[in-house]
Amino acid sequence: MASAWAILKKELRVLFLSPLAWVFLSAFLLLGGFFFTWGVASTGEASLRGVLANLGVVLIFCLPLVTMRQLAEELRAGTLELLLTSPVPLGALILGKWAASCVLCLVLLALTAPYPLVLVLYGDPDRGVLVTSYLGLMLCCGAFSAAGLFASSLSRDQMVAGVGGVLLLLPFWLAGGAVGVVPVWLEPVLMQLSFVEHLRSFAQGVLDTGDITWFVCFTSLFLFLTWRVLESRRWA
Amino acid sequence: MIRARGLTKRFARVVAVDRVDLDIDGPGVVGFLGPNGAGKTTTMRMLTGFLPMTEGEAIVCGHDVFESPLEVKARVGYLPETPPLYPELTVGEYLSFVAEIKGVEPSRRVARVGEVMEQVGLGGWERTLLGALSKGYRQRVGLAQALVADPQLLILDEPTSGLDPAQLVDIRRLILELGRERTVVLSTHVLPEVETLCDRVVLIDHGRVVGSGGVDELAASVGAGSWLEVRLSSAPVDTPSRLAAIDGVTSVTELSPGCFRVEGRGDVAPRVAMCIHGSGASLEALTWHAASLAEVFLALVGAES
């Protein structure tokens, strides 16, 4: 665990020392601000429902840009050799890196605090719904970070890792939209795959253990796959 | 310190390292020598636990590399061919990070980082970004990271490649110093470097160990390049044939009247002296011309290929 903590600190330092984290935060807040203003102004409703759903989609495109360098760059620069010849278990290395992008997401979500604050000050939003919506978005961040990290383990090229991450996540967003055009028997499968469907309960203020489990499984699966890829790279 | 038996690494159909046996003990600098692509780096990567071996076993610092890799990694300092640096970090930040992942106690970390920086000549560079360092200084930082956890065994993969002459002298002096108290395994293909730095040499070619021991021992074992100059004040006509008949002598050439070049396996000098004494000739000088490492290297590597 101590080495995972060391990796986490190093990752955050490298992340915030490069322009990438700042570009990511600015882009996200710019879009977030737009969705918030537009959502509240067009519906007149003191709710973050639309904003958070849109931000989930923005994350699909932005988060892989943060995670793309995490392993691809270590592979390219040869620094993975340092990490893997140090007494750092592979699991701790992966956890540290994943936790770093989760921390970045926490910072990001903390920076969107003015949105609910404005709603509370000038309206009467359902506070429970606000809390569960944020929780859903955080679970989304964890899941996307894991998938992005997995994409990053597949290539030495950051761009390939970044685009790969987006391509990996897109089907999980589009799956719900395909309902109605696919055979009926396929619909429940697609509904299950779509993270939009699993976010719905959070946006309604419901904490559904099924949905929480889905996000936890999604995250664990991709962290496990990352571990397998790194392990198989050593054996290749 | 290192005991390897039948160490083998296959990549798909290529055998990179083929049944290598190694026995390295005690302090000193051991040269790991071989042409490019001989399997030096792959062997080092297996010994450090970075690559798993296809076959064989390796005990490093008393622990099996395959069974308990973390124990081995905690005791070995490794400098890969390209120093593994993060250009965004400063020298101080980087070394503190390495100290942390290598398990240096938190209370000792700052002091230890300061010590190794002084040791490798990086005093005052703590706040410099790694990305802004010259190649020589990157190499120093690489050495510092290998040293930071005070390892029993140091494995250095071509630590002097790309350095200017002044930096070379500095780094070589440092390696010699380090070799006094710990085992240093040094991979290189710069032969004079091995001659000045190493007590022992392991020669590797095509993934196999083709010779090991002290440079003199190796030279004696192959008889490559070393020869005996025999100078006689009066030489009977049959001297060349008498010398050639000595056990172990492989060739005799007359360089000038009364002066012969005698080549042979092992130490033939005593037998040559006895033979001359017996023939009634008077011996003026008997000079041993030792082979250079380059000649030994070419003899062993050439013999293999």
Side-chain angles (χ1 to χ4, degrees):
Chain A
M1 263 304 123
S3 38
W5 174 237
I7 301 279
L8 165 65
K9 284 189 295 179
K10 188 275 287 177
E11 282 296 306
L12 284 177
R13 186 167 272 151
V14 170
L15 205 57
F16 280 102
L17 283 173
S18 73
L20 199 65
W22 302 104
V23 171
F24 170 71
L25 289 176
S26 322
F28 195 89
L29 288 176
L30 194 71
L31 285 168
F34 168 74
F35 288 134
F36 176 69
T37 316
W38 176 65
V40 173
S42 63
T43 61
E45 193 184 315
S47 140
L48 285 181
R49 197 173 300 167
V51 184
L52 295 182
N54 283 330
L55 287 184
V57 177
V58 173
L59 275 179
I60 291 184
F61 293 95
C62 288
L63 208 46
L65 297 181
V66 172
T67 54
M68 67 182 186
R69 56 167 300 289
Q70 286 194 306
L71 284 166
E73 183 60 18
E74 303 259 14
L75 282 164
R76 193 197 58 78
T79 41
L80 196 65
E81 205 163 343
L82 165 71
L83 301 177
L84 295 186
T85 53
S86 301
V88 178
L90 206 48
L93 169 67
I94 293 167
L95 271 185
K97 285 186 171 279
W98 172 73
S101 49
C102 289
V103 169
L104 178 71
C105 291
L106 272 178
V107 171
L108 181 72
L109 294 186
L111 289 173
T112 65
Y115 311 160
L117 213 63
V118 165
L119 294 186
V120 170
L121 284 176
Y122 297 102
D124 184 22
D126 185 333
R127 293 176 193 203
V129 172
L130 288 183
V131 172
T132 56
S133 302
Y134 267 97
L135 188 69
L137 208 52
M138 197 54 227
L139 284 170
C140 240
C141 289
F144 294 174
S145 297
L149 193 61
F150 168 68
S152 182
S153 71
L154 296 173
S155 170
R156 286 167 191 272
D157 189 317
Q158 289 193 34
M159 280 316 291
V160 173
V163 174
V166 175
L167 290 177
L168 183 67
L169 287 171
L170 270 180
F172 293 99
W173 174 45
L174 299 174
V179 170
V181 288
V182 293
V184 183
W185 60 268
L186 204 57
E187 284 183 1
V189 178
L190 290 178
M191 296 285 270
Q192 276 305 317
L193 283 178
S194 163
F195 76 86
V196 181
E197 292 303 318
H198 294 282
L199 266 183
R200 191 155 297 179
S201 63
F202 292 98
Q204 289 163 350
V206 179
L207 284 183
D208 185 330
T209 43
D211 292 329
I212 296 176
T213 312
W214 188 87
F215 279 107
V216 172
C217 289
F218 187 100
T219 308
S220 313
L221 173 71
F222 280 107
L223 291 180
F224 171 74
L225 289 176
T226 310
W227 177 63
R228 293 307 301 165
V229 169
L230 288 186
E231 188 66 17
S232 67
R233 270 184 186 279
R234 294 178 62 227
W235 286 91
Chain B
M1 200 59 73
I2 298 178
R3 202 182 76 95
R5 290 287 171 272
L7 208 57
T8 302
K9 182 69 189 178
R10 277 191 287 271
F11 295 107
R13 285 189 199 150
V14 182
V15 182
V17 174
D18 190 8
R19 286 164 284 160
V20 162
D21 294 339
L22 288 173
D23 283 287
I24 296 172
D25 259 313
V29 184
V30 179
F32 210 54
L33 201 59
N36 285 326
K40 303 189 293 286
T41 299
T42 306
T43 308
M44 291 185 155
R45 284 179 165 174
M46 283 193 281
L47 293 176
T48 52
F50 180 64
L51 284 179
M53 54 283 273
T54 314
E55 272 167 41
E57 61 158 17
I59 311 287
V60 176
C61 300
H63 296 271
D64 190 304
V65 177
F66 193 76
E67 300 289 333
S68 35
L70 296 186
E71 296 292 335
V72 172
K73 289 172 186 180
R75 288 167 176 78
V76 178
Y78 176 49
L79 170 63
E81 198 175 340
T82 315
L85 310 179
Y86 297 101
E88 302 90 345
L89 300 185
T90 64
V91 175
E93 285 170 343
Y94 172 73
L95 291 176
S96 306
F97 165 65
V98 178
E100 194 173 350
I101 57 170
K102 296 258 183 184
V104 177
E105 291 291 315
S107 55
R108 287 193 55 239
R109 231 171 261 157
V110 176
R112 185 64 200 146
V113 167
E115 274 168 36
V116 286
M117 283 180 57
E118 284 301 323
Q119 203 173 1
V120 302
L122 279 170
W125 289 78
E126 195 174 352
R127 297 172 69 86
T128 312
L129 278 178
L130 292 174
L133 290 180
S134 68
K135 187 160 170 90
Y137 275 91
R138 281 166 188 248
Q139 207 73 24
R140 283 172 198 234
V141 179
L143 257 178
Q145 66 80 20
L147 277 172
V148 77
D150 199 14
Q152 298 166 16
L153 171 67
L154 258 184
I155 299 187
L156 311 175
D157 197 353
E158 305 198 7
T160 54
S161 66
L163 299 186
D164 69 37
Q167 292 167 336
L168 264 180
V169 172
D170 280 353
I171 295 279
R172 284 181 185 166
R173 192 181 302 139
L174 178 63
I175 292 173
L176 268 179
E177 241 171 66
L178 294 170
R180 288 203 197 106
E181 55 207 24
R182 66 190 98 216
T183 313
V184 180
V185 176
L186 174 82
S187 138
T188 180
H189 43 225
V190 184
L191 299 174
E193 186 165 292
V194 176
E195 279 176 319
T196 48
L197 290 178
C198 302
D199 317 307
R200 282 160 291 164
V201 178
V202 176
L203 255 168
I204 184 165
D205 188 33
H206 289 95
R208 307 191 70 163
V209 172
V210 291
S212 69
V215 175
D216 296 342
E217 258 176 79
L218 275 178
S221 73
V222 290
S226 14
W227 56 284
L228 197 63
E229 184 187 331
V230 181
R231 197 176 284 277
L232 305 172
S233 50
S234 63
V237 200
D238 63 343
T239 307
S241 57
R242 274 173 176 269
L243 288 174
I246 298 170
D247 182 31
V249 168
T250 50
S251 82
V252 176
T253 323
E254 189 161 3
L255 300 173
S256 59
C259 181
F260 302 91
R261 176 190 170 115
V262 177
E263 289 175 37
R265 277 186 301 274
D267 193 3
V268 291
R271 289 195 292 277
V272 169
M274 289 278 284
C275 165
I276 290 165
H277 182 70
S279 72
S282 56
L283 184 62
E284 199 171 85
L286 199 56
T287 318
W288 176 251
H289 294 271
S292 70
L293 187 57
E295 286 164 318
V296 175
F297 181 82
L298 285 176
L300 286 170
V301 169
E304 267 297 296
S305 47

